[in-house]
Amino acid sequence: MQRNTAQRKQVMDVLMLLEGEHPSAERVYEKVHALYPTVSKATVYRILKDEAAHGGVLGVDLPRDVGRYDSRTDGHYHIRCRICGKVSDIEKGEGALDGLFVNNSGFEIENVLLSFTGICAGCACKVGNAAAEGGANIHKGA
């Protein structure tokens, strides 16, 4: 059972401040610690893990990326820039995914985790400029 503590509220408030950023647990901790220096790293990580397990936040697991958290728990997908690592939301469309898959596993599907990879507008602009300037190297950032 989750306890409603001042520390839990502080962590959740910071996650809401970072809405749209899809921060890692480390990023949430850094921001919490800057505002509330007495909250430990272990406490922040535990609260985020508990909230994700109970549906209070969405754990975002993307290939070749650190675990991230999202304060949005409604149905949506994520896209990650393969160059800079930026993560953004993709809204669900009108169509259902049911017809795309055949479930012979015996499992009842409760949730679908789907993520996309691409190039964000900022990096696409840099890639275009680099190509125009003779192909300067662009490396993945943090």
Side-chain angles (χ1 to χ4, degrees):
M1 182 167 134
Q2 294 179 335
R3 296 184 343 218
N4 289 323
T5 64
Q7 292 166 328
R8 183 173 300 275
K9 182 177 179 344
Q10 292 164 346
V11 170
M12 295 305 290
D13 287 350
V14 164
L15 190 60
M16 292 303 290
L17 284 173
L18 300 173
E19 184 175 359
E21 187 178 314
H22 304 88
S24 65
E26 183 65 24
R27 171 78 172 114
V28 174
Y29 166 71
E30 289 169 357
K31 186 74 170 171
V32 168
H33 188 71
L35 296 170
Y36 312 103
T38 60
V39 180
S40 73
K41 183 183 279 193
T43 296
V44 171
Y45 278 60
R46 180 183 44 76
I47 288 170
L48 289 171
K49 185 177 176 182
D50 288 350
E51 287 291 335
H54 291 94
V57 300
L58 182 65
V60 180
D61 294 315
L62 299 170
R64 297 189 321 247
D65 194 19
V66 298
R68 296 173 181 266
Y69 292 91
D70 192 346
S71 58
R72 275 189 66 187
T73 58
D74 62 318
H76 66 285
Y77 305 115
H78 295 98
I79 187 165
R80 180 177 172 275
C81 178
R82 68 175 173 82
I83 296 174
C84 71
K86 177 182 178 180
V87 176
S88 294
D89 293 330
I90 294 182
E91 303 303 325
K92 283 188 176 182
E94 292 295 320
L97 293 175
D98 297 339
L100 297 177
F101 304 98
V102 176
N103 180 12
N104 294 325
S105 68
F107 281 74
E108 180 181 334
I109 297 173
E110 295 178 337
N111 191 18
V112 175
L113 302 175
L114 182 63
S115 64
F116 299 87
T117 305
I119 301 175
C120 71
C123 289
C125 187
K126 290 176 188 172
V127 168
N129 288 342
E133 294 172 3
N137 291 328
I138 295 183
H139 298 283
K140 180 187 172 300

